[in-house]
């Protein structure tokens, strides 16, 4: 549609000199971009991860002594673990600023029409300056913030406020104070749905409402709960590791000195007088300390976390949950509070006529049911809905044009609208946001009618009667009909009143009307939303709905979605929220359920305040207006049907737009956290056993109980294979019955320490007893007894780890509980057992093994299996203890 320009308009517009002066004074319309880290810089920054720092220290110390011991396997293993963990993590995190880049790409692709020296010029959006006159018509995007000075527009502001209802914009009104609800103000990023007009630009670039959101999307977000917890774990492990290394070094040095000198003064003086000999002893002690430190550090942990996150990312994709940032999965399981957008998230984001209510009180869900009830009433309602309407049918027979309300109304009467064509209205008064009604006059069946549609508060005072089902007009009860109106409002419906008057009124006054009925229009809840909300709440997550609806409608929708109850329905509007201090909001936040008439800044403010309270805050949304809060939150859930900007800003994309998928993300997050804890228990138990045997073995006359090649196989089991095994742990619904973990709750708990110490110490004692007590002399041939003994010890150590993996997998007494849901775990452990058998009987000198007689092998398996009944007793004792967490689990089996 070509817009005609009036002669007075033709003389308007900025000159090139005025454009330059404006750009110098107010800036350009481009959005400021902060510097972005390159891939290499982000990779280097990831080496600052707390666990990676420990591994780097261990690698450095290991390299210092590698030439003496020729132990390249350990050094290479640590280096590979460091590289894989940091590289995969960097790949996941790189591109976190793409939400802002998406904004810029969209902006650069746009052009707009402006008046420059009386001529219409088509210029890039970034070249618009303050003072420009921008021509706007249906389908165009507003390029900057400004005032409408001519024309009339219907504008879709959903990209900024999330509401599907178009805003009517007209010239005039206040010029100070920028607010999306002001009728004369237009905002960058919104779309013109109908009409044409002329806007004078007032704000550009970063100063616009849109630019403010772009700045927020570039702000750095705080550390994820997982990284915070890993810092605590790293601190604990480093203290324990260095303390153990120092103690072992001192013990070894003192032991060697005792054997050489007996702590006799002359012998001590003689030893210290020979520096090479003493330095040799000191070097051996330091080498042992480094060995202890390297073995004690769980170098497989960073790689395991990457493996478990990546593995579950693929599983979540099958459940229509796309994970953009790996750490977002685990963070989901730690959520304390979830701020959710209403439109497009809890609801479908599409207005529909839900029912038609007549003056007699009849409720009809379809035009056909009304037609069967009363043909005269149906006929007039149809004409009022279909022809007092600024929408029209497209060539494909679908409603186009007009506002969302008109399109929903035409859709309701769509079948009949295709079959019937009434004469064009002879007079029309379009909808005006100030008058809040529209009217048309047309002829139907030889009768002239004026049909009125609009806000009940405008229409009802002009009604003196209502049309009954038999077509007669009956006296009108204002009180009764207003009660019906209030009941519909409480159901979260937007209500329109339909009325008519015989003849041609020829004016905009409302009087002498006959009431036809109420049209209840609403945005329907998505399927299973109520069930999904209940699941999330049962998991201990507070859900707060944020919407642009009025408070009554918002509360009604909140009740429908299961967010509110009679005694638990605190709702605040934007104005009420703005009037409260941050401390007052924090005091009310635990009881808050609904925020009505919300502005985009309300979302970011609430997320920030929740984080200041120590909560892990999540945010859902689908519009550009949601993007800043999505990025600021600990985990942002973007809807798959939402804007690209929202999806880029979020950590997780819900592809099926189903709120129930958020519950699945929380469940997966909790499952991952438990998998990480299980892996830590398994690996630290094996590490403790390896350290204990390595340290105590020489004191008992066993210099090398585990060779370098054998230790390589042990590391493969502890790191790669165990990571794959625990990564497949199934999400159990019982995890959703547990309260959320605190943001700073340590990964390593006292219960885990108890299990590691108990089973680690038991395994150490078992292995040392195996080495020193003549347990196998009766089943071994004398000639190969020593070789068989070390082979049996190697097998015992590995099989203890295999059986301990089952202990670490579950807190239940029944170790096979839910094992069928993780077949990978069983397959990996069976594979480890089979490979170990192959090494025993075919490993030869490379693995320092000799085939064990069957009785000896059976004895080794029996001793290794003993870790299961020992841990069973440990769990049983803890379960019976007062206040035990194990006692409170859903079932011991």
């Amino acid at each position: 549609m070509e817009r005609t320009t009036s002669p007075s308009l033709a003389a308007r517009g900025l000159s090139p000199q005025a454009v330059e002066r404006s750009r110098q004074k107010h800036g350009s319309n481009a959005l400021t971009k902060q510097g972005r880290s390159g891939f290499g810089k982000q990779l280097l920054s990831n080496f600052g991860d707390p666990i990676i720092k420990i591994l780097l220290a261990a690698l450095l110390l290991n390299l210092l002594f590698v030439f003496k011991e020729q132990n390249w396997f350990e050094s290479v293993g640590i280096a590979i673990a460091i590289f894989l963990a940091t590289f995969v993590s960097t790949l996941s995190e790189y591109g976190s600023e793409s939400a802002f880049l998406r904004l810029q790409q969209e902006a650069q692709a746009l052009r707009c029409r402006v008046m420059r020296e009386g001529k219409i010029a088509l210029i890039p959006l970034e070249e618009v300056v303050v003072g420009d006159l921008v021509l706007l018509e249906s389908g165009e995007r507003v390029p900057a913030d400004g005032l409408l000075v001519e024309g009339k527009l219907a504008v879709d502001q959903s990209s900024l406020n999330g509401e599907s209802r178009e805003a009517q914009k007209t010239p005039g009104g206040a010029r100070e104070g920028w607010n999306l609800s002001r009728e004369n103000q237009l905002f960058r990023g919104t779309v013109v749905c109908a009409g044409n007009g002329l806007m004078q630009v007032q704000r550009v670039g970063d100063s616009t409402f849109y630019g403010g959101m772009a700045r927020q999307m570039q702000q750095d977000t705080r550390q994820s709960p997982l990284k915070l917890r890993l810092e605590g774990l790293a601190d604990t492990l480093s203290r324990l590791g260095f303390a153990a290394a120092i103690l072992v070094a001192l013990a070894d040095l003192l032991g060697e000195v005792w054997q050489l000198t007996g702590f006799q003064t002359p012998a001590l003086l003689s030893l210290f007088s020979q520096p090479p000999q003493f330095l040799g002893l000191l070097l051996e002690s330091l080498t042992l300390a480094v060995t202890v430190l390297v073995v004690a550090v769980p170098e497989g942990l960073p790689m395991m976390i990457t493996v478990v996150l990546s593995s579950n990312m693929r599983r979540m994709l099958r459940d229509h949950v796309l994970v953009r940032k790996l750490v977002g999965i685990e963070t989901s399981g730690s959520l304390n509070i979830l701020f959710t957008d209403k439109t497009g998230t809890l609801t479908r984001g599409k207005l529909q006529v839900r029912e038609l209510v007549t003056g007699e009180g009849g409720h009809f869900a379809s035009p056909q049911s009304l037609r069967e009830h009363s043909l005269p009433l149906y006929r007039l309602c149809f004409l009022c809905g279909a022809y007092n309407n600024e929408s029209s049918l497209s060539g494909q027979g679908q409603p186009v044009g007009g506002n969302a309300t008109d399109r929903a109304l035409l859709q309701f009467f769509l079948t009949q609208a295709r079959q019937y064509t009434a004469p064009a209205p002879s007079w029309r008064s379009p909808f005006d946001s100030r008058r809040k009604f529209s009217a048309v006059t047309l002829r139907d069946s030889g009768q002239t009618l004026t049909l009125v549609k609009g806000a009940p508060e405008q229409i009802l005072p002009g009604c003196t009667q209502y049309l009954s089902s038999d077509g007669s007009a009956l006296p009108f009860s204002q009180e009764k009909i207003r009660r019906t109106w209030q009941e519909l409002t409480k159901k979260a419906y937007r209500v329109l009143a339909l009325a008519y008057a015989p003849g041609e009124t020829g004016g905009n006054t409302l009087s002498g009307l006959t009431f036809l009925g109420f049209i209840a229009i609403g945005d329907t809840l998505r399927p299973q939303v109520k069930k999904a909300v209940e699941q999330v709440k049962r998991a201990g997550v507070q859900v707060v709905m944020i919407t642009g609806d009025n408070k009554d409608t918002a509360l009604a929708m909140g009740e429908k979605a299961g967010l509110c109850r009679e005694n638990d329905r605190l709702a605040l509007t934007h104005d009420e929220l703005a009037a409260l201090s941050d401390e007052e909001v924090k005091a009310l936040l635990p009881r808050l359920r609904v925020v009505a008439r919300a502005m985009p800044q309300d979302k970011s403010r609430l997320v920030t305040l929740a984080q200041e309270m120590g909560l892990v805050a999540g945010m859902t949304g689908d519009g550009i207006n949601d993007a800043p809060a999505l990025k600021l939150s600990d985990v942002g859930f973007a809807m798959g049907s939402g804007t690209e900007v929202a999806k880029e800003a979020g950590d997780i994309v819900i592809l099926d737009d189903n709120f129930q998928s958020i519950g699945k993300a929380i469940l997966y997050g909790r499952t991952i956290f438990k998998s990480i804890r299980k892996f830590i228990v398994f690996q630290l138990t094996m590490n403790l056993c390896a350290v204990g045997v390595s340290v105590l073995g020489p004191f008992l006359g066993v210099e090398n109980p585990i060779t370098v090649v054998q230790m390589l196989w042990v590391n493969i089991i502890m790191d790669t294979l165990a990571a794959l095994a625990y990564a497949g742990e199934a999400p159990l619904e019982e995890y959703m019955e547990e309260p959320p973990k605190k943001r700073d709750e340590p990964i390593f708990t006292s219960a885990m320490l108890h299990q590691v110490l108990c089973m680690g110490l038991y395994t150490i004692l078992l292995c040392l007893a195996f080495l020193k007590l003549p347990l196998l002399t009766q089943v071994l041939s004398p000639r190969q007894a020593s070789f068989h003994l070390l082979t049996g010890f190697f097998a015992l150590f590995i099989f203890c780890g295999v059986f301990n993996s089952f202990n670490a997998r579950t807190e239940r007494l029944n170790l096979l509980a839910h094992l069928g849901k993780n077949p990978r775990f069983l397959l990996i452990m069976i594979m480890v057992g089979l490979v170990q058998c192959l090494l025993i009987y075919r490993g030869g000198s490379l693995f320092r093994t000799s085939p064990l007689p069957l009785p000896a092998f059976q004895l080794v398996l029996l001793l290794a299996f003993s870790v299961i009944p020992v841990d069973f007793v440990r769990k049983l004792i803890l379960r019976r203890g007062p206040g035990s967490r194990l006692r409170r689990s859903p079932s011991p089996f």
Side-chain angles (χ1 to χ4, degrees):
M1 171 180 170
E2 190 67 31
R3 188 182 190 279
T4 58
T5 304
S6 65
S8 61
L9 181 60
R12 301 185 197 177
L14 299 178
S15 65
Q17 295 80 11
V19 168
E20 187 59 33
R21 286 196 301 271
S22 179
R23 187 175 288 116
Q24 292 293 331
K25 182 177 180 180
H26 301 284
S28 75
N29 201 29
L31 302 176
T32 301
K33 176 186 175 183
Q34 295 180 357
R36 185 188 185 198
S37 299
F39 183 85
K41 188 174 180 180
Q42 283 190 258
L43 180 64
L44 289 176
S45 68
N46 279 334
F47 281 97
D49 182 275
I51 297 294
I52 296 297
K53 286 181 179 178
I54 295 180
L55 291 179
L56 287 171
L59 177 62
L60 178 61
L61 291 173
N62 202 48
L63 288 174
L64 293 176
F65 295 91
V66 72
F67 297 103
K68 177 179 182 297
E69 298 293 327
Q70 296 297 310
N71 182 3
W72 290 98
F73 293 107
E74 189 68 48
S75 301
V76 172
I78 296 176
I80 291 175
I82 292 173
F83 175 76
L84 288 178
T86 52
F87 186 76
V88 174
S89 177
T90 304
L91 281 179
S92 169
E93 295 171 2
Y94 187 66
S96 62
E97 299 304 319
S98 53
F100 174 76
L101 295 179
R102 176 77 63 174
L103 276 177
Q104 280 205 322
Q105 290 170 3
E106 290 184 358
Q108 290 170 356
L110 294 176
R111 296 287 188 274
C112 62
R113 295 174 302 137
V114 300
M115 295 299 302
R116 294 278 174 89
E117 293 189 314
K119 296 180 181 179
I120 298 178
L122 187 65
I123 64 172
L125 181 144
E126 292 186 354
E127 293 185 11
V128 173
V129 297
V130 171
D132 262 330
L133 294 173
V134 180
L135 286 79
L136 296 169
E137 62 183 29
S138 180
E140 292 184 324
R141 190 179 294 271
V142 179
D145 292 357
L147 299 175
L148 185 64
V149 294
E150 282 187 13
K152 178 181 176 182
L153 302 174
V155 180
D156 178 5
Q157 299 184 143
S158 61
S159 61
L160 300 183
N161 62 10
E163 297 305 314
S164 55
R165 190 181 306 167
E166 286 92 348
Q168 303 298 317
K169 300 293 183 178
T170 55
R175 287 176 172 264
E176 295 183 358
W178 290 90
N179 192 305
L180 291 170
S181 62
R182 293 196 185 279
E183 295 181 357
N184 65 326
Q185 295 179 355
L186 298 169
F187 295 86
R188 176 173 179 165
T190 59
V191 178
V192 179
C193 298
N196 54 55
L198 185 70
M199 179 188 79
Q200 185 177 49
V201 176
Q202 301 290 312
R203 303 192 300 184
V204 294
D206 293 340
S207 299
T208 62
F209 198 92
Y210 189 86
M213 291 195 297
R215 285 198 309 274
Q216 292 182 53
M217 275 186 277
Q218 297 185 82
Q219 293 176 359
D220 293 331
T221 55
R222 66 175 183 171
Q223 278 188 324
S224 69
L226 180 60
K227 287 193 174 182
L228 189 66
R229 291 162 179 159
L230 286 176
E231 283 186 355
L233 178 64
D235 183 63
T236 301
L237 292 178
S238 61
R239 290 173 185 270
L240 292 176
F242 282 107
I246 292 171
L247 288 174
V248 167
L250 289 174
D252 180 72
L253 182 61
L254 292 175
E256 291 292 335
V257 172
W258 167 262
Q259 290 183 4
L260 292 174
T261 67
F263 287 138
Q264 299 296 319
T265 302
L268 286 172
L269 292 175
S270 174
L271 176 63
F272 290 132
S273 65
Q274 302 177 43
Q277 183 179 6
F278 180 74
L279 288 176
L281 296 177
L282 184 61
L283 184 60
E284 288 183 5
S285 299
L286 290 176
T287 302
L288 182 60
V290 171
T291 302
V292 169
L293 183 62
V294 171
V295 173
V297 172
E299 63 264 32
L301 182 57
M303 186 169 62
M304 183 272 171
I305 291 174
T306 302
V307 169
V308 72
L309 292 177
S310 301
S311 174
N312 279 275
M313 180 178 69
R314 292 191 295 271
R315 293 167 65 182
M316 291 173 72
L317 189 58
R318 293 195 294 268
D319 282 334
H320 311 291
V321 179
L322 172 64
V323 180
R324 291 190 58 257
K325 300 174 185 176
L326 289 181
V327 76
I329 311 177
E330 191 279 332
T331 307
S332 301
S334 302
L335 277 183
N336 301 115
I337 187 168
L338 177 65
F339 298 101
T340 177
D341 186 36
K342 186 206 76 173
T343 306
T345 304
L346 295 175
T347 66
R348 294 180 182 272
K350 183 179 180 181
L351 293 179
Q352 290 181 317
V353 175
R354 308 304 299 163
E355 56 182 312
L356 190 155
V357 183
T358 65
E360 290 180 320
H363 292 250
F364 301 94
S366 68
Q368 289 75 18
S369 59
L370 176 61
R371 183 173 186 172
E372 294 171 1
H373 176 73
S374 169
L375 188 59
L377 190 56
Y378 159 79
R379 182 68 181 168
L380 288 170
C381 286
F382 161 68
L383 290 174
C384 191
Y387 290 92
N388 184 9
N389 195 310
E390 295 183 35
S391 295
S392 59
L393 294 178
S394 67
Q396 290 74 36
Q398 294 299 317
V400 294
N403 58 38
T405 301
D406 277 347
R407 290 194 296 273
L409 201 55
L410 188 55
Q411 181 74 39
F412 184 67
F413 291 107
L414 190 60
T415 303
Q416 293 301 314
R418 287 171 174 166
Q419 299 172 355
Y420 178 82
T421 303
S426 59
W427 172 81
R428 179 185 295 274
S429 176
F431 179 83
D432 186 285
S433 58
R434 289 171 294 185
R435 295 183 298 113
K436 298 183 178 179
F437 74 90
S438 63
V440 296
T441 298
L442 54 76
R443 289 186 62 80
D444 179 66
S445 302
Q447 183 182 11
T448 300
L449 302 170
T450 297
L451 305 168
V452 182
K453 167 176 72 52
E457 63 266 27
Q458 296 295 106
I459 305 296
L460 293 181
C463 295
T464 58
Q465 54 190 2
Y466 73 92
L467 193 68
S468 66
S469 58
D470 61 4
S472 59
L474 299 178
F476 187 78
S477 170
Q478 287 278 349
E479 182 180 352
K480 179 180 177 181
I481 206 67
R482 286 179 182 274
R483 282 201 302 268
T484 303
W485 172 27
Q486 291 172 358
E487 290 172 2
L488 292 173
T489 303
K490 289 179 180 178
K491 293 181 180 180
Y493 293 145
R494 183 186 181 193
V495 182
L496 294 179
L498 306 182
Y500 84 102
E504 187 170 344
T505 62
N508 292 335
T509 59
L510 299 175
S511 61
L513 298 176
T514 300
F515 179 73
L516 296 174
F518 288 125
I519 292 286
I521 300 177
D523 191 1
T524 57
L525 285 176
R526 292 188 180 276
Q528 300 178 318
V529 157
K530 190 169 184 178
K531 179 181 178 182
V533 168
E534 186 59 36
Q535 181 195 36
V536 172
K537 289 171 62 179
R538 193 171 65 250
V541 181
Q542 178 186 349
V543 183
V544 180
M545 182 180 75
I546 302 177
T547 176
D549 290 334
N550 64 56
K551 185 184 286 190
D552 290 338
T553 302
L555 278 171
M557 184 60 74
E559 289 180 358
K560 281 186 175 183
L563 294 172
C564 307
R565 297 186 178 91
E566 280 297 325
N567 58 346
D568 183 24
R569 42 185 284 135
L570 176 62
L572 296 174
T573 65
H574 163 73
D575 291 336
E576 292 170 341
L577 199 62
L580 297 174
S581 67
D582 287 351
E583 293 305 316
E584 289 172 326
V585 174
K586 289 179 182 179
L588 292 175
L589 191 56
R591 297 190 293 114
L592 186 62
R593 297 294 176 266
V594 171
V595 179
R597 296 297 188 199
M599 300 292 287
Q601 60 265 33
D602 295 331
K603 302 173 184 180
S604 298
R605 183 189 181 197
L606 288 170
V607 167
T608 300
L609 293 179
Q611 291 175 336
E612 288 177 2
M613 294 171 66
L615 303 177
V616 178
M619 176 73 199
T620 75
D622 62 349
I624 294 175
N625 63 302
D626 299 317
L630 285 170
K631 187 173 188 300
L632 180 64
S633 61
D634 292 294
V635 56
F637 299 95
M639 297 298 111
S641 63
T643 63
E644 289 301 313
V645 175
K647 286 185 277 190
E648 293 288 352
D651 303 293
I652 294 175
V653 180
I654 307 300
L655 297 176
D656 59 356
D657 291 344
N658 193 338
F659 191 87
Q660 193 172 27
S661 297
I662 296 176
K664 293 179 182 177
I666 294 173
L667 176 56
Y668 274 108
R670 295 188 175 188
T671 303
I672 288 170
F673 188 59
K674 286 183 175 289
S675 297
I676 292 172
R677 280 182 162 174
K678 293 172 184 179
F679 175 80
I680 290 173
V681 168
F682 167 75
Q683 191 174 55
L684 290 184
T685 302
M686 288 198 73
N687 281 358
L688 179 59
C689 181
V691 169
V693 172
S694 299
V695 170
L696 298 177
F699 290 97
L700 298 176
V702 183
E703 288 298 330
N704 295 301
I706 301 178
T707 67
V708 171
V709 176
Q710 289 174 347
M711 186 57 74
L712 177 63
W713 169 233
V714 171
N715 280 343
I716 291 174
I717 297 173
M718 287 194 302
D719 299 342
T720 309
L721 296 180
L724 293 172
Y726 287 109
E729 282 296 282
L732 305 178
E733 282 296 327
E734 65 191 52
Y735 298 159
M736 297 296 280
E737 305 292 335
E738 300 176 6
K741 303 291 186 293
K742 293 182 180 179
R743 171 176 162 77
D744 57 352
E745 179 173 326
I747 292 181
F748 197 62
T749 64
S750 57
M752 295 168 65
L753 177 62
H754 186 275
Q755 183 171 1
V756 170
L757 289 178
C758 286
M759 300 314 301
L761 292 175
Y762 173 75
T763 310
I764 291 172
L765 293 175
L766 182 64
C767 290
L768 292 178
F770 184 89
L771 287 171
K772 296 307 295 180
L773 299 178
L775 298 175
L776 300 182
T777 53
Q778 296 179 358
V779 293
L780 297 176
S781 60
R783 289 181 300 176
Q784 295 181 320
S786 60
F787 226 41
H788 280 157
L789 183 66
L790 293 175
T791 302
F793 165 77
F794 178 42
L796 177 64
F797 182 85
I798 296 298
F799 283 117
C800 280
V802 171
F803 290 125
N804 258 326
S805 70
F806 288 85
N807 290 332
R809 198 189 69 84
T810 179
E811 296 175 343
R812 297 172 184 265
L813 298 177
N814 177 14
L815 299 185
L816 302 181
H818 304 294
L819 185 58
K821 296 180 180 179
N822 185 10
R824 182 198 303 171
F825 181 91
L826 192 58
L827 288 174
I828 288 176
M829 293 308 157
I830 290 174
M831 185 197 74
V832 170
L834 293 176
V835 172
Q836 183 61 32
C837 291
L838 183 65
L839 295 181
I840 291 172
Y841 291 97
R842 292 289 185 270
S845 59
L846 177 63
F847 282 89
R848 200 185 64 181
T849 57
S850 176
L852 289 176
L854 183 60
F857 182 70
Q858 291 173 335
L859 178 60
V860 167
L861 283 180
L862 182 61
L863 291 174
F865 184 80
S866 68
V867 300
I868 288 182
V870 169
D871 194 58
F872 182 91
V873 173
R874 182 193 67 84
K875 290 178 180 177
L876 200 59
I877 293 172
L878 287 181
R879 190 175 296 277
R880 291 178 177 176
S884 169
R885 183 169 62 88
L886 291 178
R887 286 182 64 195
R888 297 195 300 271
S889 62
S891 167
F893 299 98

